[in-house]
């Protein structure tokens, strides 16, 4: 959620690179080279989908906009589809048979699908067996390794579709003033500075981030300010100096809009969460698979930030409208 006013239209600001965003761009580039899995083989022989597909996403506006975008892509391809009521755990809704499609982070999806009967991982090139569970600790596997394991799974009745370049992986940000004043640009520099810094994070993130900070950055913050999910999706805590370091995600358009510094090396503290759809296979045709994969192939990091920007702030668009505008801007659906 950006704390700046902005027009409804997409604002890519090409040519502008806020301090610290080189790290974000590098992460997206690495995903493009190693993390994505285009043309995934889906064990579905029929061409046409025979029934209405139900999509489900989380409550936040960005997730809802993504849900509407994928639904609109399906409808444009001639597939009947609708968006269900938001759910706290969309993947669980799909696995329980209450929905057909959800888009989730790659590590989250890896952990959930590893529990499905029939799911298996064929192991790595060395022949060593691979666990189907998520990384034991954030950052233990990079984005490419998580995606390799995820797409090696073959859960009965479900299929993992192509992973997008866009990710909602966690990250740590500071203001440009804090970065310059404290000479803080990387996670490796946090250790001696942490006793003077207040960190803002949600309770859920705290459970894994604090141990990772201690283990990988020798960092014990002066204080932890617990943020709500809405606060963490914005940047007001850090730009108002209520905290000096804030945990948010790379999807947050407020990072760029407020020229925040992304601490390099933050990826080592969080599990990779590249956006990946999961779909049930019963009654589903290749028309639905192709439509979903087409959108995922188009969804870059800047697009996810654009969507986040459109549904954030005082002049926020309704997620349905934001999705329609973005799809039209990218020429992904037929003109009305």
């Amino acid at each position: 959620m950006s704390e700046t006013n902005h027009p409804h239209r997409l604002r890519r600001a090409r040519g502008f690179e806020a301090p610290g965003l080189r790290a974000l761009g590098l992460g997206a580039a690495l995903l493009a080279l190693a993390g994505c899995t285009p043309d995934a083989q889906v064990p579905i022989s029929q061409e046409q989908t025979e029934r209405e597909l139900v999509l489900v996403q989380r409550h936040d506006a960005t997730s809802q906009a993504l849900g509407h975008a994928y639904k609109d892509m399906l409808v444009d391809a001639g597939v009947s589809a609708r968006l269900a009521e938001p759910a706290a755990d969309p993947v669980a809704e799909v696995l329980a048979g209450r929905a057909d499609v959800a888009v989730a982070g790659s590590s989250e999806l890896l952990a959930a699908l590893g529990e499905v009967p029939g799911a298996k991982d064929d192991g790595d090139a060395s022949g060593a067996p691979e666990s189907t569970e998520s990384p034991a600790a954030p950052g233990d596997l990079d984005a490419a390794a998580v995606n390799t394991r995820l797409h090696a799974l073959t859960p009965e009745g479900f299929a993992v579709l192509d992973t997008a370049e866009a990710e909602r992986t966690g990250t740590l940000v500071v203001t440009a003033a804090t970065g310059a004043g404290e000479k803080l640009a990387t996670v490796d520099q946090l250790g001696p500075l942490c006793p003077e810094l207040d960190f803002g994070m949600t309770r859920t993130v705290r459970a894994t981030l604090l141990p990772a900070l201690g283990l990988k950055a020798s960092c014990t913050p002066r204080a932890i300010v617990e943020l709500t999910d809405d606060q963490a999706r914005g940047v007001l805590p850090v730009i108002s100096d209520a905290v000096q370091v804030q945990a948010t995600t790379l999807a947050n358009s407020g990072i760029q809009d407020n020229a925040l510094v992304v601490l390099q090396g933050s990826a080592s503290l969080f599990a990779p969460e590249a956006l990946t759809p999961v779909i049930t296979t019963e009654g589903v045709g290749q028309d639905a698979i192709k439509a979903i994969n087409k959108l995922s192939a188009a969804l870059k990091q800047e697009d996810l930030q654009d969507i986040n920007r459109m549904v954030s702030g005082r002049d926020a668009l309704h997620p349905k409208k934001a999705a329609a505008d973005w799809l039209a801007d990218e020429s992904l659906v037929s003109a009305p």
Side-chain angles (χ1 to χ4, degrees):
M1 182 187 304
S2 170
E3 262 60 45
T4 58
N5 291 326
H6 57 81
H8 287 158
R9 63 181 179 275
L10 301 184
R11 190 182 70 187
R12 296 244 171 127
R14 290 182 174 86
F16 169 76
E17 187 178 65
L21 289 183
R22 292 184 182 89
L24 189 158
L26 177 60
L30 290 174
L31 275 173
L33 292 172
C36 298
T37 53
D39 302 323
Q41 297 299 311
V42 178
I44 295 175
S45 59
Q46 65 192 55
E47 285 298 317
Q48 303 298 319
T49 300
E50 300 173 347
R51 60 187 180 83
E52 181 182 58
L53 297 183
V54 179
L55 296 88
V56 62
Q57 282 298 99
R58 284 193 167 90
H59 292 77
D60 66 277
T62 303
S63 294
Q64 286 295 296
L66 284 172
H68 281 288
Y70 278 97
K71 185 264 294 180
D72 289 353
M73 282 291 290
L74 288 167
V75 172
D76 189 68
V79 178
S80 178
R82 65 179 174 87
L83 197 61
E85 290 297 315
D89 189 344
V91 175
E93 295 296 299
V94 173
L95 298 184
R98 293 186 289 269
D100 300 298
V101 184
V103 181
S106 50
S107 291
E108 173 192 358
L109 195 52
L110 177 61
L113 289 180
E115 302 298 322
V116 176
K120 66 177 183 294
D121 189 321
D122 295 328
D124 61 17
S126 67
E130 297 282 358
S131 169
T132 57
E133 297 182 358
S134 62
D140 284 353
L141 293 179
D142 63 17
V146 169
N147 284 349
T148 296
R149 288 190 178 187
L150 176 59
H151 287 275
L153 297 179
T154 56
E156 293 180 2
F158 305 96
V160 178
L161 302 190
D162 291 355
T163 295
E165 288 183 23
E167 56 179 317
R168 300 185 82 166
T169 302
T171 194
L172 297 180
V173 296
V174 300
T175 62
T178 296
E182 302 290 347
K183 295 184 171 62
L184 177 58
T186 73
V187 167
D188 291 341
Q189 297 168 328
L190 273 174
L193 300 173
C194 273
E196 305 300 323
L197 299 174
D198 296 338
F199 281 58
M201 62 189 74
T202 65
R203 180 179 300 180
T204 301
V205 168
R206 176 175 181 162
T208 55
L209 179 55
L210 275 188
L213 282 170
L215 179 64
K216 300 182 179 183
S218 300
C219 169
T220 302
R222 177 174 62 185
I224 300 297
V225 177
E226 187 172 302
L227 306 179
T228 65
D229 289 341
D230 283 343
Q231 288 172 327
R233 283 191 286 265
V235 293
L236 184 59
V238 70
I239 65 175
S240 66
D241 203 36
V243 299
Q244 288 74 57
V245 183
Q246 182 180 331
T248 184
T249 76
L250 293 176
N252 191 342
S253 62
I255 296 172
Q256 183 176 30
D257 295 346
N258 294 277
L260 297 181
V261 175
V262 176
L263 295 187
Q264 296 180 35
S266 292
S268 67
L269 304 173
F270 299 90
E273 298 293 358
L275 295 183
T276 307
V278 61
I279 188 170
T280 54
T281 54
E282 183 179 357
V284 173
Q286 286 296 329
D287 52 354
I289 303 301
K290 291 175 182 177
I292 292 173
N293 283 343
K294 181 179 178 181
L295 192 154
S296 295
L299 188 61
K300 315 302 183 187
Q301 194 65 38
E302 66 178 4
D303 296 303
L304 184 58
Q305 290 177 326
D306 283 340
I307 292 169
N308 175 258
R309 182 177 294 114
M310 295 169 75
V311 297
S312 303
R314 300 174 186 172
D315 301 321
L317 292 176
H318 188 280
K320 182 177 181 179
K321 171 65 173 170
D325 285 357
W326 179 74
L327 290 172
D329 184 76
E330 296 296 317
S331 300
L332 289 170
V333 294
S334 305

